[in-house]
Amino acid sequence: MFRADLHAVTAMDHNHYYHAPDLARFGEVGKGAPELWEKFQAWYGAVFAEGALTAREKARSALAVSHAVQCPYCIDAYTTASLEHGSNEEQMTEAVHVAAAIRGGSSLVHGVQMRNHLERLGM
């Protein structure tokens, strides 16, 4: 049975799990719960409205976060948004490096958890 399931998966005609055209279908997520989707849309719109941060700063922050959470749809969307709001390639690349440094640092700082456990084990 496993081999049949494996064959079905490998026989799929897909190059990868994420498909760029699916980003345009994001709104379809709300079909099952339109009231919740409307609330999410209102909140999301408010988050990205000009405020203490400019739309440019928010788009570039979202681009960095998109890399940290590894969302290819978000990476595409916020690369475009960053460009539309006036960011350039150098700024966007630096934002990605900031995200990578934070992600790497957060992995390393969890080494303290390991050290604490080693100490509890008397090592």
Side-chain angles (χ1 to χ4, degrees):
M1 179 115 178
F2 174 76
R3 288 184 181 264
D5 291 341
L6 182 60
H7 176 71
V9 171
T10 57
M12 292 171 47
D13 187 27
H14 299 294
N15 293 326
H16 50 77
Y17 288 105
Y18 294 101
H19 304 282
D22 287 348
L23 179 56
R25 299 180 62 200
F26 185 41
E28 293 177 30
V29 174
K31 286 185 177 180
E35 321 77 39
L36 293 175
W37 179 250
E38 288 174 22
K39 290 177 182 182
F40 171 77
Q41 287 289 91
W43 172 72
Y44 193 86
V47 166
F48 282 93
E50 290 274 342
L53 297 174
T54 66
R56 179 180 173 202
E57 292 168 321
K58 289 181 179 189
R60 205 167 46 233
S61 295
L63 178 64
V65 171
S66 298
H67 282 79
V69 300
Q70 299 177 325
C71 175
Y73 300 115
C74 300
I75 291 168
D76 287 356
Y78 288 103
T79 296
T80 299
S82 292
L83 290 170
E84 289 173 347
H85 289 293
S87 290
N88 62 38
E89 181 181 2
E90 182 180 11
Q91 293 166 332
M92 291 163 42
T93 301
E94 193 167 317
V96 171
H97 279 273
V98 169
I102 295 300
R103 188 172 172 117
S106 69
S107 294
L108 289 172
V109 76
H110 277 83
V112 174
Q113 181 71 24
M114 175 197 67
R115 304 223 48 85
N116 289 339
H117 191 68
L118 288 172
E119 288 171 11
R120 286 191 300 271
L121 295 173
M123 301 184 93

